[in-house]
C-alpha cells in the first residue's frame, strides 16, 4: 500500500477511538502487501499502515540524520533504523506527525474550473509514468478518482497583510456546499513533488448548487475530534472546536441507465480534524487575503467503517482491491460514462437540512 | 491626465531615448489623475499616459471590432478589453499608432494578493522549524526573499475541457509585466511537502504597472534555450521557440535613504527554458480553462554569471554566503525596510522597450 502515502497527505486519518494504534501511538513494525510483497518498515495508524519506505523514497525524511540515512527504511527489519539512535527516532516521529498532524496541508486550486452539479467532467490528459524508471507519456488519465469534500464560501474577507484569528473565523463563513475534487491519481503521482498538484486537480471541481448557511447548520454542531498531542500552535487554537453532523454519501452509476446507483462511500463532516475556522486562520496567517466568493474545501472526508473511504484511491487500497457495483461490474478507478453523485444531509427532529446533490458524469478524454 | 488626449492627436510625442515607454512599446495599464480620479485604461508613452477612455469617447476607435465595443475602455480594469481577443488588441494598437505617428514604425498563486509596484509588502508570519527534529513554531519569517520573474497576462482563454496547443498559445498572450514572487524560505521548507507552497508564497506578489504587449516585444525575440535531451513530449513541442531579450536587474535599497541601491542580480528573460507558450500548453493540457486576466509567471529567472541568481536563496548559497550592499551592510535574506526594485528593458536601435519598475518595501511583521 505505498499508495497510502498520498492518502496520508490529506492531514486526516480516521482512527476508531477503540483502536490501540491512535495518532498518539505511532508504533513501528514490518509489513508487506499483496501488491508489494517486499517486507518493509511501517507505522500503524488505526487499521492502516504508513509505508516508511515510500515516505523515504519521496524524500520526506529531510532532517539532519535521516536525510542521509533514509535507506534504513528500505530494509526487511527495523535493526538498521534502530541502530541510528534517538535523534533519528525523534526525527522519524516528527516527520510522521508533521505529515499527519502539525499543519493543515493545503494547495491553491483553480476557480475557473469549478462547475455546478450536473456539469459533465471530461477525463483529463496529462503526463503519466507507466512504469517506474520510465520517461513519462502524455495520455488520458487511467486513474480518475472522486474526492468527497465539502466547500466553504468566504463571505467577508480580510485585508492583505492582516490575518483572521481562529476564534473569529467562523463569522467569515457565508455557507457550505458539497464538493467533488476530481483527481487524476496517475498524473498526481508524477507531478506533485515539489510544487504540489497541478494538472491532476485543475481540470474540474464540482459543487452542489445551493449554499447552505451556518445559521441553518448551527443546530447540528458537534464537538470536533480532539487535538492535544501535539497541541496546535496558538494561532490554530480555536475555543470549542466543532463540526456539523452532516451525513455524506457517494454513489456511482454506470453509463446506460439500466444499472442503478451503488453507494461506494459513507462519511460525515464531523470527522474533519482541522475545522474550517482553523483552515481559514492558517490560510490568512501569513497575511494572505481572502475575498468574498473564495471557496475553501475540506480535503477528502474519510472515516472509519467499511465504506468510510472518501475516494477510490483509499477505497480500493490504491487500486489493488476493486469495488463492486450493483450490476456486477468492478471499479478501481472511474470509467467513461460513470456518474458520481454526492449527497449530504443533517437529520433534525422531524426535518432535514441538506445540500441536495453534487452530480457529474465522466466524459471520454477529448481526441488528441 | 485626460487632457493629454488632445496632445496625443498632434501626432508627435517627445520620448526620451532612455525611456522604457517609447512609441515602439505602447503598454497598457490602469491610471487615474487628480482631476479625474476614476480608474481607467491608458497607454504609457514616455512620461505621459494616453487616456483610452477619452479616445473611445471621441469615437476614434473606428475599426470593425472596437467601433461597437469601445465601452471596454470605460472600465476600471483591462479584463473587458482583454477578453475581446487579438483582433481587438491589434486594432487598438493600430489606432493608437495612427493617432500618434504618421511615420511607419515597425513594430499562469493567489490572485487576491497580487499588488502593483509601490505597494509595501508585510513580512509574513508562519510555521517554521527552528532546528531539525523540533516541533514547529509560529513566527515572523526570518528568511524573506524576492524572486525575479516575469508575469504574462492571458487575453483570450479557452473553454473548460479544451486545450491550447503550444503552437497557438502565443496568440492568447495579451502582454507582459515584471513580477516579484515574494517567498518566505523558512515557511516554504516546512510546508511544501506534499502539496506545494502555500503560506510561503501567498502573502504577496508585486507586478510592474504597465502591461507590455507581444507586438512591442516581438523585435526582441531570440531563440530559446535548446531542448533535445529529453525532447519535450509532443504536446509541449513548439515550432521556433523563442523568448524576448529583456535585460533584468534587481536592486536592494536599505531603509533610511542614505544608502543608495545595490544591484544584487542581473538576468535575462532569454534564459527561460520552458517558453510561456509551452507553459500555457501545459496549464491547459488537462482541459483546465484559462480566462481573460489570468496571470502566469515564469518562475525565478536565474542565469550564468556572478550576479546571475534571481533570488537570495541562490545568491547567498542558501544563506551561507551573505551579499554585501553599498553601505557595507550584509544580507542573507531581506530585512524590514529594505526596498526591492526590479527593472527590465529591451534595448533597441536608439530606443527602448521596457517595463518601468516593480518596487516593494518590506514592512515589519504585524504584531501578534
Ligand atoms: Ca479539482
Ligand atoms: Ca508570491
Ligand atoms: Mg482534494
Ligand atoms: Mg516563484
Ligand atoms: Ni495557482
Amino acid at each position: 500500500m505505498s499508495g497510502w502515502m498520498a492518502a496520508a497527505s490529506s492531514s486526516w486519518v480516521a482512527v476508531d477511538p477503540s483502536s490501540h494504534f491512535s495518532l498518539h501511538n505511532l508504533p513501528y513494525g514490518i509489513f508487506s502487501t499483496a501488491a508489494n510483497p517486499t517486507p518493509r518498515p511501517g507505522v500503524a495508524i488505526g487499521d492502516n499502515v504508513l509505508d516508511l519506505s515510500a515516505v523515504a523514497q519521496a524524500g520526506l525524511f529531510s532532517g539532519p540524520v535521516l536525510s542521509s540515512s533514509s535507506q534504513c527504511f528500505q530494509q526487511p527489519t527495523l535493526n538498521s533504523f534502530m541502530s541510528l539512535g534517538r535523534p533519528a527516532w525523534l526525527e522519524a516521529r516528527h516527520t510522521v506527525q508533521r505529515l499527519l498532524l502539525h499543519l493543515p496541508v493545503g494547495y491553491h486550486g483553480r476557480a475557473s474550473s469549478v462547475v455546478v452539479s450536473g456539469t459533465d467532467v471530461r477525463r483529463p490528459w496529462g503526463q503519466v509514468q507507466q512504469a517506474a524508471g520510465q520517461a513519462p507519456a502524455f495520455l488520458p488519465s487511467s486513474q480518475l478518482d472522486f474526492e468527497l469534500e465539502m466547500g466553504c464560501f468566504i463571505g467577508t474577507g480580510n485585508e492583505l497583510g492582516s490575518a483572521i484569528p481562529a476564534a473569529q473565523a467562523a463569522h467569515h463563513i457565508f455557507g457550505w456546499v458539497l464538493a467533488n475534487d476530481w483527481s487524476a491519481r496517475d498524473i498526481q503521482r508524477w507531478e506533485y513533488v515539489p510544487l504540489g498538484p497541478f494538472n491532476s486537480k485543475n481540470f474540474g471541481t464540482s459543487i452542489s448548487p445551493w449554499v447552505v448557511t451556518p445559521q441553518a447548520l448551527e443546530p447540528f454542531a458537534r464537538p470536533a475530534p480532539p487535538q492535544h498531542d501535539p497541541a496546535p500552535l496558538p494561532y490554530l487554537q480555536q475555543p470549542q472546536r466543532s463540526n456539523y453532523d452532516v451525513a455524506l454519501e457517494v454513489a456511482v452509476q454506470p453509463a446506460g441507465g439500466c444499472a442503478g446507483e451503488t453507494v461506494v462511500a459513507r462519511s460525515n463532516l464531523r470527522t474533519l480534524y482541522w475545522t474550517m475556522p482553523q483552515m481559514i486562520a492558517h490560510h490568512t496567517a501569513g497575511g494572505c487575503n481572502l475575498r468574498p466568493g473564495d471557496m475553501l474545501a475540506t480535503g477528502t472526508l474519510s472515516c472509519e467503517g467499511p465504506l468510510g473511504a472518501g475516494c477510490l484511491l483509499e477505497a480500493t487500497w490504491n487500486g489493488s482491491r476493486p469495488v463492486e457495483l450493483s450490476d456486477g461490474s468492478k471499479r478501481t478507478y472511474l470509467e467513461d460514462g460513470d456518474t458520481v453523485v454526492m449527497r449530504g444531509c443533517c437529520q433534525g427532529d422531524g426535518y432535514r437540512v441538506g445540500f441536495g446533490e453534487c452530480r457529474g458524469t465522466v466524459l471520454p478524454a477529448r481526441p488528441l
Side-chain angles (χ1 to χ4, degrees), chain A:
Chain A
M1 67 180 79
S2 62
W4 190 67
M5 230 280 299
S9 68
S10 72
S11 90
W12 165 242
V13 186
V15 181
D16 190 278
S18 70
S19 172
H20 286 202
F21 305 137
S22 71
L23 293 162
H24 305 256
N25 189 341
L26 305 179
Y28 295 97
I30 298 295
F31 78 109
S32 67
T33 57
N36 179 359
T38 308
R40 54 203 191 275
V43 169
I45 302 169
D47 292 335
N48 298 299
V49 181
L50 176 65
D51 183 341
L52 295 177
S53 74
V55 174
Q57 238 161 3
L60 300 179
F61 288 113
S62 53
V65 183
L66 291 172
S67 59
S68 57
S69 310
S70 70
Q71 70 278 9
C72 68
F73 297 117
Q74 315 298 341
Q75 307 283 337
T77 73
L78 291 168
N79 293 359
S80 162
F81 173 51
M82 287 173 167
S83 70
L84 290 176
R86 203 175 129 85
W89 309 339
L90 296 181
E91 219 178 277
R93 183 173 176 89
H94 282 134
T95 297
V96 170
Q97 286 183 328
R98 190 187 80 76
L99 279 174
L100 299 172
L101 294 171
H102 267 306
L103 70 166
V105 201
Y107 66 94
H108 292 296
R110 284 282 303 171
S112 65
S113 56
V114 176
V115 298
V116 73
S117 177
T119 309
D120 295 336
V121 171
R122 199 168 277 288
R123 180 184 297 276
W125 287 76
Q127 288 199 23
V128 300
Q129 191 180 36
Q130 294 177 282
Q134 273 192 9
F138 186 66
L139 292 169
S141 171
S142 62
Q143 299 186 352
L144 181 59
D145 201 355
F146 59 79
E147 285 186 340
L148 171 62
E149 305 198 13
M150 293 192 65
C152 169
F153 280 100
I154 298 300
T156 46
N158 60 308
E159 290 296 313
L160 183 59
S162 72
I164 300 177
Q168 258 103 76
H171 301 305
H172 293 258
I173 297 175
F174 175 77
W176 292 78
V177 291
L178 304 172
N180 180 351
D181 183 18
W182 302 91
S183 297
R185 302 303 182 190
D186 41 3
I187 300 175
Q188 186 173 0
R189 200 170 297 119
W190 174 248
E191 78 176 1
Y192 83 99
V193 175
L195 295 182
F198 189 68
N199 284 339
S200 58
K201 300 265 191 187
N202 71 8
F203 60 93
T205 305
S206 300
I207 61 173
S208 56
W210 298 98
V211 183
V212 179
T213 66
Q215 294 73 41
L217 293 166
E218 203 45 53
F220 306 98
R222 301 287 180 272
Q227 294 180 318
H228 31 72
D229 182 25
L233 286 165
Y235 82 103
L236 287 171
Q237 284 173 16
Q238 176 196 4
Q240 299 179 300
R241 293 168 55 254
S242 66
N243 292 315
Y244 303 121
D245 182 8
V246 183
L248 297 164
E249 66 170 40
V250 184
V252 173
Q253 174 157 23
C258 314
E261 290 182 359
T262 305
V263 172
V264 296
R266 285 191 211 284
S267 188
N268 196 300
L269 180 61
R270 284 184 68 171
T271 61
L272 196 62
Y273 184 77
W274 295 105
T275 67
M276 192 51 74
Q278 289 179 304
M279 291 190 206
I280 291 170
H282 183 67
H283 196 302
T284 62
C288 183
N289 49 337
L290 288 169
R291 295 194 295 194
D294 276 337
M295 187 183 86
L296 279 68
T298 55
T300 306
L301 292 164
S302 294
C303 72
E304 286 296 297
L307 291 179
C311 60
L312 289 172
L313 176 74
E314 292 178 46
T316 66
W317 295 66
N318 197 19
S320 67
R321 299 188 197 172
V323 163
E324 188 167 331
L325 303 185
S326 61
D327 65 352
S329 66
K330 302 200 167 176
R331 292 291 181 277
T332 46
Y333 290 101
L334 296 167
E335 297 187 1
D336 291 346
D338 283 351
T339 297
V340 177
V341 187
M342 297 179 174
R343 297 188 177 87
C345 200
C346 306
Q347 182 65 57
D349 189 4
Y351 69 98
R352 286 181 172 171
V353 172
F355 293 79
E357 61 179 35
C358 175
R359 173 186 290 268
T361 300
V362 178
L363 297 183
R366 68 174 194 283
L368 190 54

